[in-house]
Amino acid sequence: MNLFFIFLTGLTTGGLSCLAMQGGLLASVIANQKGIELKDAKKTKLGLDQMDWLPVGMFLLTKLITHTILGFFLGLLGSALTLNLNVQLAFQAFAALFMFGSAMNLLNVHPIFRYLAFQPPKFLSRMVRNTSKSRALFAPAVLGAMTVFVPCGITQAMEVLAINSGNPVYGAMLMFAFVLGTSPLFAIL
């Protein structure tokens, strides 16, 4: 698969899907830190624009790094499994059906689609929620790293493609290109 198309997928549908899943968490962290940073800005006379980019940059950088590492290990897993053509086609069909089911679940088309929604374990959900409420300086970076545990449907499809690649380097590049594509929408948020 062409990495440019993976980047475009991240820029369009992937960005919107990830923004819907993780954008509220990022906005919550920024809102919690806003009070602390406004007090610091008055003391040091920093502009507000400089303050706004620090948490977003930390979030996006750690998200990019952790997803690239994840892509490497998923590609390594795919190389260890040595999937034949039929299994690869089954993975791709599963990814397509999963993406369709996730979209139908998000649109509340029918209650049956709610069974296709995978949820992370409760302790991870609690940890992500607590991190999003944190006022610590590195909370956005920690939250960016934890987004591996709260992937959107398109990200899960990219993870299947990374496994399907059977190449750790290409799996890492695939996830890097995808997450890089999602970054502009998070920066705009």
Side-chain angles (χ1 to χ4, degrees):
M1 179 147 284
N2 189 341
L3 292 177
F4 180 70
F5 290 124
I6 297 296
F7 175 79
L8 285 179
T9 302
L11 193 60
T12 55
T13 56
L16 292 173
S17 171
C18 290
L19 191 63
M21 286 285 292
Q22 302 160 356
L25 297 171
L26 177 60
S28 174
V29 167
I30 291 172
N32 286 333
Q33 288 190 339
K34 204 61 151 165
I36 293 171
E37 289 179 353
L38 284 175
K39 291 175 190 174
D40 292 343
K42 289 177 184 174
K43 291 178 186 174
T44 61
K45 307 280 189 217
L46 284 176
L48 293 178
D49 293 338
Q50 293 171 350
M51 294 182 328
D52 291 343
W53 286 104
L54 181 63
V56 174
M58 290 188 325
F59 175 84
L60 292 175
L61 183 64
T62 56
K63 181 178 178 182
L64 186 66
I65 291 169
T66 55
H67 279 79
T68 302
I69 293 169
L70 175 67
F72 179 84
F73 285 114
L74 291 174
L76 192 63
L77 175 67
S79 70
L81 295 176
T82 58
L83 305 174
N84 64 22
L85 182 61
N86 291 335
V87 176
Q88 288 178 358
L89 291 174
F91 265 130
Q92 289 179 350
F94 172 75
L97 288 173
F98 181 76
M99 288 172 46
F100 175 76
S102 295
M104 295 298 110
N105 182 38
L106 287 172
L107 296 173
N108 288 326
V109 172
H110 192 274
I112 197 164
F113 290 111
R114 71 174 177 242
Y115 295 112
L116 293 176
F118 293 119
Q119 298 292 327
K122 296 254 188 239
F123 77 94
L124 284 175
S125 297
R126 218 173 299 117
M127 195 175 352
V128 169
R129 194 172 32 247
N130 291 340
T131 302
S132 71
K133 294 177 184 176
S134 175
R135 290 181 175 224
L137 176 65
F138 292 106
V142 172
L143 186 64
M146 292 178 126
T147 58
V148 168
F149 301 113
V150 232
C152 63
I154 309 294
T155 304
Q156 291 173 354
M158 292 300 133
E159 291 170 355
V160 169
L161 285 177
I163 293 172
N164 203 18
S165 73
N167 183 341
V169 174
Y170 189 73
M173 290 177 11
L174 190 141
M175 292 302 290
F176 179 86
F178 175 73
V179 173
L180 190 63
T182 65
S183 297
L185 285 177
F186 280 99
I188 290 170
L189 172 73

